[in-house]
């Protein structure tokens, strides 16, 4: 796979949050590499509240890591 | 998306808790961007105990991050 | 909402544990604000082992935060 | 409720692990205070692999807190 | 119960990972003490992907604790 | 089992992310050691959004550990 993650540093908390969402998606894409199946799954889980919450939990976990990496943007 | 998260600093733990809830909602909104579907899903999961607990878990994870960012408001 | 969380400091670990339970309940109450529905949901999930375990997980996450805030009551 | 948690300090990691299990049980007991229902639920979930795993996750979370409180018994 | 956890220190990350798996199993064994039922449950959940993932999550949580205890084997 | 984890140090965040995915797989492989069953389970859960999200959560937890081990590649 090409380079897609060279640093955990971001300029703002919001960019850090968006990076966390990217890491969440990547965690899935490494396992399910078919774009077609990914799109199909995304269409389904985006309409299910619990699925969205579980995905949001993964992003929250990555955000902890990224926030620590940026010393909480203090 | 416009700026919505410029700092993790809050004046009080309660404001930090409310920011954690906001981050939880944002984690969902980035994935499901339709207001209509969001409202529909919210109405459903707000009546399901386990769905509320799972959402509360995401907020608890974000609260850890925010509390650390504020040095626990000591 | 009125002030309900002004500090994460507690005198003892047990008070910290009880504060963690309070934060867990608050995470739900912000989303489902009807007392009636809350009471109904609580009556149901209190009889389901997995629901109780999931709620206990949220409290454990908040207890981590509160324990750190109190330097583990050392 | 009487005092049941006055310190997170333990002599050994094993005692810390057992304290983590106690905190997990307490998280449930605060919500479901009937001994009769607790015993009934315990009998059921002790025969379900996923229920046991979820309960084990709560204990693992508390063990993190207790291990930190004891400086990892170094 | 006899002594089974006297230290979180291990020589290598791999030994730490294997200790994390042991802690995960112990979390279950304290609650379900029948060897017979344990074996039966293990045979079942080892064939279910989500059950294996949940168990893997518990091990990941314990590995965080053990890695910190060993200063990440730096 | 032969040596497969001698260090948590990686050159880049991306390598750390990929190591996190490896630890996630290993957590499953220690419990389910049959390659045949592993492949069968992987084929199934790779088509289920929630299964992929749960697996992604395990990787996110391991990534926290690895990121800390590498001082967040600062």
């Amino acid at each position: 796979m090409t380079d897609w993650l060279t640093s955990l540093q971001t300029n703002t908390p919001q960019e850090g949050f968006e990076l966390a969402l990217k890491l969440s998606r990547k965690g899935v894409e490494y396992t399910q590499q078919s774009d077609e199946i990914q799109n199909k799954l995304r269409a389904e889980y985006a309409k299910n509240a619990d699925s969205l919450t579980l995905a949001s939990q993964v992003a929250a976990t990555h955000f902890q890591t990224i926030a620590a990496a940026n010393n909480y943007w203090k």
Side-chain angles (χ1 to χ4, degrees), chain A:
Chain A
M1 200 170 277
T2 53
D3 286 0
W4 60 272
L5 183 63
T6 55
S7 170
L8 298 182
Q9 309 301 309
T10 69
N11 289 319
T12 66
Q14 184 168 332
E15 287 180 17
F17 193 84
E18 291 165 356
L19 179 56
L21 289 164
K22 181 180 177 177
L23 294 187
S24 302
R25 282 193 304 271
K26 280 290 181 182
V28 168
E29 293 174 15
Y30 269 89
T31 303
Q32 176 47 268
Q33 301 191 356
S34 153
D35 281 350
E36 191 187 333
I37 299 181
Q38 277 175 37
N39 290 338
K40 184 169 157 287
L41 295 176
R42 200 168 293 140
E44 286 172 21
Y45 94 75
K47 289 178 194 153
N48 183 290
D50 289 350
S51 298
L52 286 165
T53 303
L54 288 175
S56 182
Q57 179 66 43
V58 179
T61 303
H62 281 308
F63 187 62
Q64 284 199 327
T65 308
I66 292 164
N70 287 279
N71 195 28
Y72 303 98
W73 298 275
K74 280 190 240 196

